[in-house]
Amino acid sequence: MPVIEVNGLTKAFRTYKKQPGFGGAVKGLFHRQYEQTVAVNEVSFKIEPGELVGFLGPNGAGKTTTMRVLTCFQPPTTGTATVAGFDVLENPHEVKKRIGYLPETPPLYPEMEVSEYLTFVGRLKGISSADIERRAGEVTERCAIGDVRNKLIGKLSKGYRQRVGLAQAIIHNPDVLILDEPTSGLDPKQIIETRELIKHLAGDHTIILSTHILSEVEHSCQRVVIINQGKLVATDSVENLTNRLRGSEAVALEVASSNGPLDSALVQQRLEQVSGVSRVLPREARDGRLAFEIESLQGRHIRADLARAVVQAGWNLNELRAVGLSLEDIFLQLTGAEKAAAPIAENPAPKGPQEE
C-alpha cells in the first residue's frame, strides 16, 4: 500500500486586483475583480514505503503548494491526498502525527539550547514524558549533533542548524519526511554530510526531497516526480526517463590493441558497420586507448553486437557501458516552456484540463 497517494490534486487561489469603480467616473473609488490562479492542476502520484523520491520543478511550478497540502497547511481545492492511509482533509491530526517536515528555513528558536529545543518539540508532537529523553538522545546521535547539544542554537553554524532541523523532523519517528531544500546555503562539506544523513534516514522513513540541486537527486533518489506549471510531467526512475526520452540506446566503448597503436578511423568505420548503429562519435584517446560514444537506431540494442565486433577484430575491449541522459538534460526537456506534453509515468496519471 502506498504511504503517500495523491489523486487529481488541484489547488487554486482567489486573487483580486483593484479596478476603477463606476467606469472610473468617480475618482478614487474602486471595486474588486476576482481572478483564480491554479497553482497545482490535477496532479496524481504514489510513493511506496521506504522510498527516497526527488520532487522537482522550476520556480513557481507548484512544488511548495503540493507540500503544503500534504503537510495539512493548506487544503486542496479538489482531488484527494492521503498519508499512511489518512486523508489530509478528513484526518489532518493523524496525518501530522505521521509527517516530519523540514522547510527551507528550519523552525528553530535561537535563544534555546539544542537539547532544550528538542525536548520542547517532542512535547509539542505528543511524545510521552517517559519517552522524550530517550527519543531526544536517539535523534541527537543519529543527526550527529551530540557535541553541540548544550549550545545555543543561535550560535551554531548553518550546517549544524540544518542537522537540528532534521532532528526535530524525525523526533516523533514519522512514517514520512518532507524536506524542502535541505542543503540550501550549505558549504560543499556540509552538503556532503547532509546528503549522507538523508541517505541513512531512507528506508526507516519515506522521504520526499525537494531541491534545485539536480545532482543531489540523481545520486540520492530512487525515483523523481517532476511538475511544471502546476501539472505532472513525469514520475519514474532517472534511468527509465532516459530511455523513454531518448528512445535509443547510447553506449560508451573503449578499445585498445596489444600489438601497437590502432587506427582511429579504421576502428570507427568497423563500429559504424555494426547492425543497428546510427552514429559513432570519437572521444578523447588516452595512452593508446580509443574511446567512442555510439548511438543506436530507434528501439535497437547494440551492446552485444558491438562487443562481438571488437573481439572478432582482435582488439581488447576495455569498456562497454550504457550512457544515460543526465537529470539536468531530463529536467530541461520536460520543463521547457515550449512543451505541454502528457505526463511520463509508470502508471500514467489523469490528464488535467488545459490551462488558459
Side-chain angles (χ1 to χ4, degrees), residues 181-257:
E181 300 289 353
T183 59
S184 175
L186 302 184
D187 65 36
K189 182 175 183 293
Q190 293 167 339
I191 288 174
I192 293 171
E193 291 171 347
T194 302
R195 182 187 298 163
E196 290 304 310
L197 175 56
I198 292 170
K199 282 185 179 179
H200 290 150
L201 292 173
D204 294 336
H205 309 271
T206 301
I207 300 177
I208 298 178
L209 173 62
S210 174
T211 179
H212 284 92
I213 305 174
L214 299 183
S215 60
E216 191 168 293
V217 173
E218 195 165 18
H219 294 138
S220 303
C221 297
Q222 300 145 329
R223 197 158 57 89
V224 293
V225 174
I226 303 177
I227 64 172
N228 186 39
Q229 297 179 359
K231 295 182 179 180
L232 181 77
V233 294
T235 171
D236 210 334
S237 68
V238 174
E239 182 181 358
N240 288 344
L241 288 174
T242 293
N243 294 336
R244 295 183 189 196
L245 289 173
R246 176 172 266 159
S248 60
E249 185 177 28
V251 298
L253 180 144
E254 184 180 276
V255 297
S257 172

Side-chain angles (χ1 to χ4, degrees), residues 138-316:
E138 288 174 356
V139 299
T140 295
E141 180 179 354
R142 185 143 203 202
C143 296
I145 53 176
D147 53 339
V148 297
R149 63 182 304 159
N150 296 320
K151 288 188 177 181
L152 290 175
I153 292 173
K155 294 187 176 181
L156 299 181
S157 68
K158 179 72 184 286
Y160 270 116
R161 289 200 299 271
Q162 206 72 356
R163 292 189 193 185
V164 175
L166 274 170
Q168 67 79 29
I170 65 173
I171 193 167
H172 57 306
N173 198 27
D175 296 322
V176 176
L177 273 177
I178 298 180
L179 310 178
D180 190 2
E181 300 289 353
T183 59
S184 175
L186 302 184
D187 65 36
K189 182 175 183 293
Q190 293 167 339
I191 288 174
I192 293 171
E193 291 171 347
T194 302
R195 182 187 298 163
E196 290 304 310
L197 175 56
I198 292 170
K199 282 185 179 179
H200 290 150
L201 292 173
D204 294 336
H205 309 271
T206 301
I207 300 177
I208 298 178
L209 173 62
S210 174
T211 179
H212 284 92
I213 305 174
L214 299 183
S215 60
E216 191 168 293
V217 173
E218 195 165 18
H219 294 138
S220 303
C221 297
Q222 300 145 329
R223 197 158 57 89
V224 293
V225 174
I226 303 177
I227 64 172
N228 186 39
Q229 297 179 359
K231 295 182 179 180
L232 181 77
V233 294
T235 171
D236 210 334
S237 68
V238 174
E239 182 181 358
N240 288 344
L241 288 174
T242 293
N243 294 336
R244 295 183 189 196
L245 289 173
R246 176 172 266 159
S248 60
E249 185 177 28
V251 298
L253 180 144
E254 184 180 276
V255 297
S257 172
S258 56
N259 302 316
L262 288 172
D263 183 336
S264 178
L266 177 65
V267 175
Q268 181 174 345
Q269 183 181 26
R270 178 66 186 92
L271 295 175
E272 289 172 341
Q273 294 171 352
V274 173
S275 176
V277 169
S278 65
R279 64 173 178 168
V280 178
L281 303 173
R283 294 294 183 240
E284 183 179 0
R286 294 173 298 175
D287 301 325
R289 296 171 294 172
L290 302 180
F292 301 89
E293 184 171 319
I294 305 166
E295 294 184 5
S296 73
L297 296 171
Q298 192 85 2
R300 297 291 296 272
H301 298 284
I302 57 175
R303 275 179 280 181
D305 290 334
L306 286 171
R308 191 176 301 111
V310 169
V311 172
Q312 288 176 351
W315 304 324
N316 297 329

